[in-house]
Amino acid sequence: DGGITQSPKYLFRKEGQNVTLSCEQNLNHDAMYWYRQDPGQGLRLIYYSQIVNDFQKGDIAEGYSVSREKKESFPLTVTSAQKNPTAFYLCASSPGTGGGAETQYFGPGTRLLVL
Amino acid sequence: GEDVEQSLFLSVREGDSSVINCTYTDSSSTYLYWYKQEPGAGLQLLTYIFSNMDMKQDQRLTVLLNKKDKHLSLRIADTQTGDSAIYFCAELTDSWGKLQFGAGTQVVVTP
């Protein structure tokens, strides 16, 4: 059963704490993405990775960090530098980039709340 | 502001057709997408259209693309209560796969 999984579904962060959101895919996709969604807004790109061991900043990367050590995994860390982390975080993947392989498929999301 | 614009809300009666509109700004966009989001869930890919096409039909869904006006629409025939959701249009703005999303249109289907 192929797909994208995100865990946990809900995550609570205390002030000054770093938290890590998990994203795993078994679709054999090369590219992976992290988005942030705030109420009434579209999705904004945080980070993306086109291939293992490589990633680039998106539009709102400040206060976030990522790693891409394995093809199937792209965890996102929300650091204490992110002052307004409460949001719905969505992970996506695509087969590749270019030549029509850019179609992105999304996971179920993680809702992050600040205590 | 958003490069991709959508109306925020649409109310439709069950059994009628829904039309969701979207305007985009990047004339070089190669692909345009429609995603559906149900409450508390991720985005589900509904359909997409390549920029050299004017229309694409997939069961109850019809996508129309007017490149001259940079206008994209999604028509849902015979709208059902299960179609109640937020619908996002997105344009592919970069060769590596960057998507620019609209703010989403909340569709409410009434009996």
Side-chain angles (χ1 to χ4, degrees), chain B residues 49-56 63-67:
Chain B
I49 188 167
F50 188 52
S51 59
N52 68 353
M53 299 171 64
D54 298 322
M55 185 182 83
K56 180 179 180 181
V63 179
L64 295 177
L65 176 60
N66 181 330
K67 291 185 287 294

mmCIF file of all heavy atoms in Angstrom, chain B residues 49-56 63-67:
data_model
loop_
_atom_site.group_PDB
_atom_site.id
_atom_site.type_symbol
_atom_site.label_atom_id
_atom_site.label_comp_id
_atom_site.label_asym_id
_atom_site.label_seq_id
_atom_site.Cartn_x
_atom_site.Cartn_y
_atom_site.Cartn_z
ATOM 1 N N ILE B 49 -3.929 19.907 -15.680
ATOM 2 C CA ILE B 49 -4.002 20.153 -17.116
ATOM 3 C C ILE B 49 -2.674 20.712 -17.588
ATOM 4 O O ILE B 49 -2.063 21.536 -16.902
ATOM 5 C CB ILE B 49 -5.187 21.085 -17.455
ATOM 6 C CG1 ILE B 49 -5.394 21.193 -18.966
ATOM 7 C CG2 ILE B 49 -4.991 22.474 -16.839
ATOM 8 C CD1 ILE B 49 -6.728 21.836 -19.340
ATOM 9 N N PHE B 50 -2.235 20.243 -18.714
ATOM 10 C CA PHE B 50 -1.016 20.753 -19.318
ATOM 11 C C PHE B 50 -1.355 22.036 -20.070
ATOM 12 O O PHE B 50 -2.452 22.169 -20.623
ATOM 13 C CB PHE B 50 -0.411 19.702 -20.249
ATOM 14 C CG PHE B 50 0.947 20.041 -20.775
ATOM 15 C CD1 PHE B 50 1.978 20.404 -19.918
ATOM 16 C CD2 PHE B 50 1.208 20.016 -22.136
ATOM 17 C CE1 PHE B 50 3.240 20.709 -20.401
ATOM 18 C CE2 PHE B 50 2.461 20.317 -22.633
ATOM 19 C CZ PHE B 50 3.477 20.671 -21.770
ATOM 20 N N SER B 51 -0.422 22.953 -20.123
ATOM 21 C CA SER B 51 -0.710 24.284 -20.645
ATOM 22 C C SER B 51 -1.045 24.326 -22.131
ATOM 23 O O SER B 51 -1.549 25.326 -22.623
ATOM 24 C CB SER B 51 0.467 25.222 -20.364
ATOM 25 O OG SER B 51 1.642 24.716 -20.960
ATOM 26 N N ASN B 52 -0.781 23.254 -22.871
ATOM 27 C CA ASN B 52 -1.115 23.263 -24.300
ATOM 28 C C ASN B 52 -2.521 22.706 -24.557
ATOM 29 O O ASN B 52 -2.914 22.509 -25.698
ATOM 30 C CB ASN B 52 -0.080 22.496 -25.118
ATOM 31 C CG ASN B 52 -0.108 21.019 -24.848
ATOM 32 O OD1 ASN B 52 -0.802 20.559 -23.956
ATOM 33 N ND2 ASN B 52 0.655 20.265 -25.612
ATOM 34 N N MET B 53 -3.264 22.458 -23.468
ATOM 35 C CA MET B 53 -4.639 21.962 -23.589
ATOM 36 C C MET B 53 -5.608 23.063 -23.198
ATOM 37 O O MET B 53 -5.281 23.950 -22.397
ATOM 38 C CB MET B 53 -4.838 20.761 -22.667
ATOM 39 C CG MET B 53 -3.941 19.583 -22.989
ATOM 40 S SD MET B 53 -4.021 18.298 -21.726
ATOM 41 C CE MET B 53 -5.724 17.775 -21.863
ATOM 42 N N ASP B 54 -6.806 23.022 -23.760
ATOM 43 C CA ASP B 54 -7.851 23.967 -23.400
ATOM 44 C C ASP B 54 -8.851 23.356 -22.424
ATOM 45 O O ASP B 54 -9.506 24.075 -21.673
ATOM 46 C CB ASP B 54 -8.624 24.426 -24.643
ATOM 47 C CG ASP B 54 -7.739 25.147 -25.616
ATOM 48 O OD1 ASP B 54 -6.859 25.905 -25.167
ATOM 49 O OD2 ASP B 54 -7.920 24.957 -26.831
ATOM 50 N N MET B 55 -9.007 22.049 -22.496
ATOM 51 C CA MET B 55 -10.017 21.396 -21.686
ATOM 52 C C MET B 55 -9.562 19.983 -21.356
ATOM 53 O O MET B 55 -8.874 19.321 -22.145
ATOM 54 C CB MET B 55 -11.350 21.331 -22.432
ATOM 55 C CG MET B 55 -12.484 20.764 -21.600
ATOM 56 S SD MET B 55 -14.040 20.634 -22.506
ATOM 57 C CE MET B 55 -13.802 19.085 -23.355
ATOM 58 N N LYS B 56 -9.974 19.531 -20.173
ATOM 59 C CA LYS B 56 -9.730 18.151 -19.788
ATOM 60 C C LYS B 56 -10.937 17.675 -18.997
ATOM 61 O O LYS B 56 -11.405 18.375 -18.102
ATOM 62 C CB LYS B 56 -8.462 18.038 -18.944
ATOM 63 C CG LYS B 56 -8.138 16.624 -18.509
ATOM 64 C CD LYS B 56 -6.857 16.590 -17.692
ATOM 65 C CE LYS B 56 -6.537 15.176 -17.246
ATOM 66 N NZ LYS B 56 -5.289 15.122 -16.424
ATOM 67 N N VAL B 63 -12.057 20.552 -16.496
ATOM 68 C CA VAL B 63 -11.138 21.672 -16.320
ATOM 69 C C VAL B 63 -11.086 22.452 -17.616
ATOM 70 O O VAL B 63 -10.919 21.876 -18.694
ATOM 71 C CB VAL B 63 -9.727 21.185 -15.952
ATOM 72 C CG1 VAL B 63 -8.777 22.376 -15.786
ATOM 73 C CG2 VAL B 63 -9.749 20.354 -14.676
ATOM 74 N N LEU B 64 -11.239 23.777 -17.496
ATOM 75 C CA LEU B 64 -11.109 24.659 -18.651
ATOM 76 C C LEU B 64 -9.947 25.608 -18.411
ATOM 77 O O LEU B 64 -9.790 26.148 -17.310
ATOM 78 C CB LEU B 64 -12.391 25.469 -18.858
ATOM 79 C CG LEU B 64 -13.645 24.670 -19.230
ATOM 80 C CD1 LEU B 64 -14.841 25.611 -19.335
ATOM 81 C CD2 LEU B 64 -13.442 23.925 -20.535
ATOM 82 N N LEU B 65 -9.134 25.795 -19.435
ATOM 83 C CA LEU B 65 -7.978 26.675 -19.339
ATOM 84 C C LEU B 65 -8.037 27.717 -20.446
ATOM 85 O O LEU B 65 -8.116 27.384 -21.624
ATOM 86 C CB LEU B 65 -6.691 25.859 -19.451
ATOM 87 C CG LEU B 65 -5.386 26.651 -19.461
ATOM 88 C CD1 LEU B 65 -5.224 27.451 -18.181
ATOM 89 C CD2 LEU B 65 -4.189 25.724 -19.672
ATOM 90 N N ASN B 66 -8.012 28.973 -20.037
ATOM 91 C CA ASN B 66 -7.954 30.103 -20.967
ATOM 92 C C ASN B 66 -6.613 30.773 -20.766
ATOM 93 O O ASN B 66 -6.430 31.566 -19.839
ATOM 94 C CB ASN B 66 -9.108 31.065 -20.689
ATOM 95 C CG ASN B 66 -9.119 32.253 -21.645
ATOM 96 O OD1 ASN B 66 -8.069 32.687 -22.131
ATOM 97 N ND2 ASN B 66 -10.287 32.785 -21.935
ATOM 98 N N LYS B 67 -5.650 30.426 -21.618
ATOM 99 C CA LYS B 67 -4.286 30.932 -21.430
ATOM 100 C C LYS B 67 -4.193 32.423 -21.689
ATOM 101 O O LYS B 67 -3.385 33.120 -21.071
ATOM 102 C CB LYS B 67 -3.322 30.181 -22.339
ATOM 103 C CG LYS B 67 -3.117 28.726 -21.929
ATOM 104 C CD LYS B 67 -2.071 28.062 -22.785
ATOM 105 C CE LYS B 67 -2.563 27.787 -24.191
ATOM 106 N NZ LYS B 67 -3.659 26.779 -24.214
#
